[in-house]
């Protein structure tokens, strides 16, 4: 940041402050006395020499004194008190003059010391505004390997620019058939765009394999959908005898089976991809392609059972589904979960470790000053806020799927009538009306918004609440739309979660000195007219590529919107990998683990069983996370065998083995000290088990 470059600049700032806070008569008297203290006593001690003699300084002398002050660095203020006292002693200044002029210099210095640009020990003065030292002791996050794979990942997908026009047209037709509501070529409803995109990516991966790693390699311009799913038409079959049809189908089945086995062998051996979940995803994509290609050959969904190639795919899917279930029962994964889950002690949970050792340090890193007290750059502050809020949304409330936060929107215009009862300076971040939101083919809203309101579901919130309106998520068909009030968590330093949300979205203003200060003219009345600058512009620091919805009716309001969590250096929506990367890097910095957004769902589920939530509480948690209790228990719960056995072992010890051979320390105390200790023993009995153990350890009795 900028600092006053000279002694004279600090004087000008003080003069400006005096004139702004005092009457003209008071200001004139204060500044006249300050001038006498500076020009007659202090500056001569610092080296200034007057050209004229006499008690009263000439205009030329005053101008020369000011020029001298401009040559002195601002840090001269640090030695003003000592210099002034030396001047008073040399000049034998009377006590009355010392009180008057010394008092004005002291007023000047006290005001300067209270400014953010003061040249003293800044870190000590602004301790509550300084970030803790950034922690990077664990090294780069990529150094922690989660799997046994060696070397760099192999990227073999057939890119769009490598795709022949004919194949690209077929892939476009496949995608449109999957997603468009009124399009033929399929049975049933369209799939979600994310599902269709996953299918396409898997098909492109297979084409990349055929082009680069299959034997023999197939040139790019010869790649066709038939190479994955051989097409046999009804016309071809009619020209053949029954035995010839069987031989033809056998040949096509063998071709598809060979492709599948070779491709999965390539994945297993070269890519070291051993998870049956990976195979399941590939097979599902191939099955979708097969049904697309054979749609014209069947009358209804059941007709697919007559296609031998689809029967083959179903057989593979059955086998792989069994493998997935076995992995799921045994909590088996390709990645090493010990490198994702925090290490915990007996008194902790993984969730408490994340909150205390990751999220809280990230919150402190949102402070505006570095460890030495200097103001940080606006981009850096906005980045810190974004990283913290991503973790906060996943950690302060049950973790939902990361896609909901990646696609989270916020309105950037407010063409609505001001709500009744809202204060003139009250914050209002609107939720766009339904007719301005993104909709599915059947009119269902399919976007997610963050908004601020004072009335939610009939309840009045005088201070207002931030709300997540979630209309697009994986299990919406089961659980429906969700409207989630974000709890305004309070922190020990007096801040709250809403402070961080608003600083990130709207930026923050500081009256910190800089040479390019300007008068505040925005929405906060308490700051209007005050001179300063924007400390950070919040998410606008990232130059987001925001969007707008053009109304069909020209007289209608124009709504603009943007994504809440855009990529910091590009201003675009985050991909799944880049969003998760923020989590992995932060968790590795603080706890040496690769904890990603999806891991947070496991951490929440595990916490639920560790603390023994009731069935009703489990159902509530599962709903808040967007799935069922069965999914919570079967898929996400990661309690260790020791934790699972602990409850029944405690019951066994309590009810079957109360009379152990080891003496009870409380009884021993009572025996030794008699009835006088009864009251003390009773007090000890009321302590928790952990408190008792700690007390008895201190007494050296256990």
């Amino acid at each position: 940041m900028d600092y006053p470059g000279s002694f004279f600049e600090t004087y000008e700032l003080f003069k400006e402050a005096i004139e702004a806070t005092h009457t003209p008569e008071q200001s004139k008297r204060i500044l006249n006395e300050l001038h006498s203290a500076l020009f007659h006593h202090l500056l001569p001690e610092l080296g200034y020499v007057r050209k004229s003699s006499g008690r009263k300084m000439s205009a030329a002398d005053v101008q020369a004194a000011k020029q001298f002050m401009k040559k002195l660095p601002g840090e001269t203020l640090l030695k003003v008190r000592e210099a002034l006292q030396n001047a008073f002693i040399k000049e034998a200044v009377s006590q009355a003059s010392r009180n008057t002029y010394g008092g004005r210099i002291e007023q000047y210095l006290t005001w300067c010391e209270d400014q953010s640009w003061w040249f003293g020990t800044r870190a000590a003065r602004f301790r509550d505004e300084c970030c803790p030292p950034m922690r990077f002791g664990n090294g780069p996050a990529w150094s922690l390997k989660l799997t046994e794979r060696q070397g760099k990942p192999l990227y073999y997908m057939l890119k769009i620019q490598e795709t022949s026009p004919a194949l690209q047209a077929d892939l476009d037709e496949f995608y449109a058939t999957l997603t468009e509501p009124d399009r033929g070529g399929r049975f049933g409803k369209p799939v979600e765009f994310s599902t269709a995109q996953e299918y396409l990516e898997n098909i492109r991966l297979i084409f990349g394999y055929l082009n680069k790693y299959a034997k023999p390699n197939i040139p790019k311009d010869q790649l066709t959908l038939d190479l994955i799913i051989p097409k046999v038409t009804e016309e071809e079959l009619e020209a053949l005898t029954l035995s010839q049809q069987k031989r033809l189908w056998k040949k096509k089945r063998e071709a598809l089976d060979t492709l599948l086995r070779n491709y999965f062998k390539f994945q297993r051996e070269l890519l070291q991809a051993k998870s049956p979940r990976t195979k399941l995803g590939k097979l599902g994509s191939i099955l979708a392609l097969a049904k697309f290609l054979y749609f014209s050959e069947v009358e209804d969904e059941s007709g697919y059972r007559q296609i031998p190639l689809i029967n083959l795919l179903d057989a593979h899917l059955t086998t792989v589904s069994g493998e997935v279930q076995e992995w799921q029962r045994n909590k088996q994964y390709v990645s090493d979960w010990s490198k994702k889950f925090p290490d915990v002690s007996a008194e902790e949970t993984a969730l408490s470790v994340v909150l205390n050792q990751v999220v809280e340090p990230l919150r402190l890193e949102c402070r505006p000053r570095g460890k030495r007290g200097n103001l940080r750059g606006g981009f850096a502050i906005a980045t810190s806020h974004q990283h913290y809020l991503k973790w906060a949304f996943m950690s302060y409330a049950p973790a939902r799927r990361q896609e909901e936060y990646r696609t989270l929107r916020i309105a950037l215009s407010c063409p609505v009538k001001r709500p009744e009862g809202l204060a003139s300076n009250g914050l209002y971040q609107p939720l766009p009306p339904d007719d301005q939101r993104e909709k599915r083919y059947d009119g269902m809203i399919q976007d997610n918004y963050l908004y601020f309101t004072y009335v939610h579901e009939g309840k009045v919130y005088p201070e207002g609440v931030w709300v997540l309106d979630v209309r697009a998520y994986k299990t919406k068909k089961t659980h429906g739309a969700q409207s989630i009030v974000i709890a305004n968590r309070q922190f020990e330093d007096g801040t709250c979660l809403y402070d961080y949300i608003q600083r990130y979205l709207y930026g923050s203003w500081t009256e910190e000195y800089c040479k390019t200060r300007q008068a505040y003219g925005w929405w906060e009345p308490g700051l209007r007219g005050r001179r300063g600058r924007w400390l950070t512009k919040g998410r606008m620091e990232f130059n987001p590529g925001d969007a707008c919805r053009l109304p069909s009716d020209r007289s209608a309001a124009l709504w603009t919107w943007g994504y809440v969590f855009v990529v910091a250096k590009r201003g675009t929506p985050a991909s799944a990998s880049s969003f998760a990367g923020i989590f992995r890097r932060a968790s590795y910095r603080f706890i040496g683990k690769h904890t990603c957004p999806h891991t947070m769902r496991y951490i929440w589920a595990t916490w639920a069983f560790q603390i023994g939530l009731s069935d009703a509480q489990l159902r509530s948690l599962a709903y808040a996370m967007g799935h069922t209790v069965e999914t919570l228990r079967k898929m996400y719960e990661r309690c260790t065998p020791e934790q699972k056995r602990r409850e029944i072992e405690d019951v066994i010890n309590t009810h079957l083995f109360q009379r152990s051979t080891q003496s009870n320390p409380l009884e021993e105390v009572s025996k030794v000290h008699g009835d006088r200790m009864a009251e003390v023993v009773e007090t000890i009995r009321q302590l928790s088990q952990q408190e008792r153990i700690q007390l008895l350890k201190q007494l050296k009795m256990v």
Side-chain angles (χ1 to χ4, degrees):
M1 65 156 289
D2 293 328
Y3 300 94
S6 68
F7 191 173
F8 183 75
E9 287 185 42
T10 68
Y11 158 77
E12 286 286 291
L13 292 171
F14 177 70
K15 177 184 175 184
E16 180 183 301
I18 291 297
E19 292 174 341
T21 55
H22 294 75
T23 65
E25 293 77 13
Q26 291 173 329
S27 299
K28 184 177 180 180
R29 178 172 54 81
I30 292 172
L31 294 176
N32 282 341
E33 291 175 354
L34 178 62
H35 292 162
S36 296
L38 291 172
F39 300 154
H40 288 281
H41 303 292
L42 179 62
L43 292 184
E45 183 66 21
L46 297 175
Y48 167 66
V49 179
R50 286 177 57 181
K51 294 182 179 180
S52 62
S53 59
R55 183 173 176 276
K56 187 174 182 179
M57 294 179 67
S58 66
D61 284 335
V62 172
Q63 189 62 31
K66 291 182 177 180
Q67 290 298 324
F68 180 78
M69 290 174 67
K70 291 179 180 179
K71 296 178 181 179
L72 294 176
E75 289 85 347
T76 304
L77 289 170
L78 297 172
K79 52 186 180 182
V80 161
R81 286 189 178 93
E82 181 181 354
L84 185 64
Q85 291 305 314
N86 291 337
F88 285 162
I89 294 172
K90 289 179 182 179
E91 300 170 17
V93 176
S94 68
Q95 188 61 47
S97 294
R98 289 189 184 196
N99 291 341
T100 299
Y101 301 132
R104 288 304 171 211
I105 291 291
E106 189 62 34
Q107 180 186 12
Y108 171 39
L109 289 176
T110 301
W111 179 87
C112 290
E113 288 171 344
D114 197 39
Q115 304 309 302
S116 58
W117 47 257
W118 175 244
F119 305 98
T121 308
R122 301 176 60 78
R125 294 187 61 248
F126 300 109
R127 184 175 293 110
D128 294 340
E129 298 179 32
C130 294
C131 293
M134 295 288 185
R135 294 172 54 182
F136 296 98
N138 293 321
W142 54 260
S143 62
L144 180 65
K145 304 296 183 183
L146 297 180
T147 68
E148 299 176 354
R149 296 175 185 171
Q150 302 296 322
K152 296 181 179 180
L154 186 64
Y155 298 102
Y156 64 96
M157 180 186 294
L158 182 71
K159 300 177 182 178
I160 294 178
Q161 57 269 31
E162 298 175 327
T163 308
S164 68
L167 178 57
Q168 185 61 51
D170 288 341
L171 292 174
D172 291 342
E173 179 72 14
F174 176 46
Y175 184 83
T177 300
L178 289 170
T179 58
E180 292 184 7
D182 300 317
R183 196 179 186 92
R186 69 163 189 273
F187 298 105
K189 296 181 178 180
V191 302
E192 297 292 337
F193 291 108
S194 58
T195 302
Q197 189 62 40
E198 180 183 352
Y199 289 166
L200 271 186
E201 289 178 359
N202 282 329
I203 298 303
R204 285 189 175 279
L205 284 170
I206 297 174
F207 280 131
Y209 158 75
L210 291 172
N211 173 246
K212 298 167 186 171
Y213 294 98
K215 297 181 180 178
N217 298 149
I218 300 175
K220 296 184 182 70
D221 59 355
Q222 296 181 23
L223 294 172
T224 63
L225 297 181
D226 284 354
L227 289 174
I228 299 177
I229 299 295
K231 181 68 179 294
V232 178
T233 65
E234 189 173 339
E235 289 77 12
E236 290 180 77
L237 294 174
E238 289 178 351
L240 302 176
T241 64
L242 184 60
S243 60
Q244 289 173 329
Q245 291 178 10
K246 291 182 178 179
R247 285 196 297 271
L248 177 62
W249 278 122
K250 181 179 180 181
K251 181 180 178 181
K252 301 298 184 182
R253 279 175 57 95
E254 289 175 349
L256 175 58
D257 193 54
T258 299
L259 170 63
L260 294 176
R261 296 184 186 282
N262 288 341
Y263 180 53
F264 291 140
K265 181 180 179 181
F266 156 77
Q267 286 211 312
R268 184 176 62 255
E269 295 180 355
L270 192 59
L271 303 183
Q272 302 175 53
K274 303 175 183 178
S275 172
R277 298 179 179 90
T278 302
K279 291 173 66 175
L280 192 66
K282 310 295 184 189
L283 286 169
S285 302
I286 297 172
L287 179 61
L289 178 63
K291 290 184 175 181
F292 164 71
L293 291 175
Y294 277 91
F295 175 79
S296 59
E297 309 301 321
V298 298
E299 297 295 331
D300 51 32
E301 183 75 30
S302 63
Y304 284 129
R305 301 190 196 122
Q306 308 303 319
I307 309 296
L309 299 182
I310 292 180
N311 289 335
L312 174 64
L313 289 171
D314 284 338
H316 277 282
L317 280 165
T318 300
T319 301
V320 174
S321 296
E323 295 173 2
V324 169
Q325 292 175 6
E326 183 179 1
W327 275 47
Q328 190 168 304
R329 283 194 300 270
N330 291 284
K331 308 292 185 182
Q332 183 175 346
Y333 295 87
V334 170
S335 58
D336 185 347
W337 272 82
S338 67
K339 296 178 181 179
K340 294 183 176 182
F341 253 61
D343 296 325
V344 299
S345 63
E347 295 78 21
E348 295 176 309
T349 65
L351 184 56
S352 67
V353 170
V354 165
L355 286 169
N356 296 328
Q357 299 184 31
V358 180
V359 185
E360 180 60 13
L362 284 173
R363 185 183 72 84
L364 297 179
E365 288 184 358
C366 293
R367 289 176 172 176
R369 299 180 184 275
K371 62 181 180 180
R372 296 181 180 177
N374 298 331
L375 281 177
R376 304 165 63 204
F379 183 92
I381 296 173
T383 301
S384 295
H385 277 73
Q386 187 190 88
H387 292 179
Y388 163 65
L389 288 175
K390 287 178 179 179
W391 274 93
F393 284 174
M394 287 281 189
S395 305
Y396 293 160
R400 299 182 65 83
R401 295 172 180 86
Q402 63 143 300
E403 185 179 8
E404 298 172 33
Y405 300 111
R406 285 195 294 109
T407 60
L408 188 63
R409 301 179 180 186
I410 190 164
L412 300 178
S413 56
C414 188
V416 295
K417 183 179 179 181
R418 192 174 188 83
E420 293 184 7
L422 178 61
S424 60
N425 62 335
L427 170 67
Y428 182 60
Q429 177 67 54
L431 177 68
D434 288 355
D435 62 352
Q436 295 293 326
R437 298 181 64 176
E438 185 175 338
K439 294 185 176 64
R440 208 170 62 178
Y441 66 92
D442 57 0
M444 294 285 288
I445 295 174
Q446 58 171 8
D447 57 24
N448 303 318
Y449 265 87
L450 173 66
Y451 71 101
F452 191 82
T453 186
Y454 294 85
V455 179
H456 179 258
E457 295 184 351
K459 182 177 180 180
V460 177
Y461 295 85
E463 300 298 322
V465 287
W466 283 97
V467 181
L468 291 170
D469 188 64
V470 184
R471 305 288 192 96
Y473 65 102
K474 185 176 181 179
T475 54
K476 180 188 173 184
K477 292 179 180 178
T478 302
H479 300 287
Q482 295 197 21
S483 187
I484 305 165
V485 173
I486 299 176
N488 190 18
R489 307 298 180 192
Q490 305 292 313
F491 308 112
E492 292 182 357
D493 58 8
T495 61
C496 59
L497 179 60
Y498 285 11
D499 293 332
Y500 295 90
I501 294 175
Q502 288 158 202
R503 290 170 191 165
Y504 172 67
L505 293 176
Y506 310 128
S508 56
W509 178 266
T510 178
E511 294 182 65
E512 177 88 353
Y513 171 80
C514 70
K515 293 181 180 178
T516 57
R517 292 189 306 163
Q518 56 184 308
Y520 184 88
W522 288 76
W523 61 88
E524 294 189 40
L527 292 176
R528 286 185 184 138
R530 305 285 288 272
R531 295 183 64 79
R533 67 178 177 89
W534 285 104
L535 178 61
T536 173
K537 295 180 290 185
R539 69 182 283 278
M540 294 306 293
E541 293 280 355
F542 309 139
N543 295 317
D546 296 324
C548 68
R549 183 181 180 87
L550 297 176
S552 56
D553 180 2
R554 292 187 178 182
S555 63
L558 176 66
W559 281 87
T560 59
W561 59 270
Y563 290 106
V564 174
F565 295 121
V566 295
V567 178
K569 293 184 179 180
R570 297 198 301 270
T572 56
S575 64
S577 59
S578 65
F579 191 89
I582 298 298
F583 284 78
R584 286 195 296 269
R585 288 190 291 274
S587 61
Y588 189 71
R589 272 208 296 136
F590 293 111
I591 59 175
K593 303 292 182 178
H594 273 194
T595 304
C596 65
H598 199 61
T599 310
M600 288 302 302
R601 292 170 65 76
Y602 288 87
I603 286 175
W604 271 95
T606 303
W607 168 82
F609 292 101
Q610 285 174 330
I611 68 170
L613 293 186
S614 66
D615 287 343
Q617 291 169 332
L618 284 174
R619 286 194 296 273
S620 178
L621 174 64
Y623 172 79
M625 294 175 67
H627 55 231
T628 63
V629 175
E630 291 71 22
T631 301
L632 192 75
R633 191 184 305 275
K634 292 180 181 179
M635 180 178 296
Y636 289 110
E637 175 266 315
R638 298 286 298 180
C639 292
T640 65
E642 179 186 359
Q643 291 168 336
K644 292 178 180 179
R645 290 178 56 86
R646 184 179 299 160
E647 187 170 348
I648 188 60
E649 288 177 350
D650 289 344
V651 172
I652 291 172
N653 291 334
T654 299
H655 293 279
L656 298 181
F657 298 97
Q658 280 185 327
R659 298 180 180 277
S660 66
T661 57
Q662 184 177 0
S663 60
N664 187 325
L666 297 180
E667 294 176 356
E668 292 298 318
V669 172
S670 183
K671 289 177 183 179
V672 172
H673 297 281
D675 294 339
R676 292 179 302 170
M677 292 299 297
E679 184 177 349
V680 175
V681 171
E682 182 58 27
T683 301
I684 295 174
R685 289 185 187 278
Q686 295 177 8
L687 299 176
S688 68
Q689 183 68 19
Q690 188 64 30
E691 290 171 336
R692 289 187 201 176
I693 294 173
Q694 186 64 30
L695 175 61
L696 295 174
K697 282 183 178 179
Q698 293 175 356
L699 296 173
K700 301 185 182 299
M701 298 184 64
V702 297

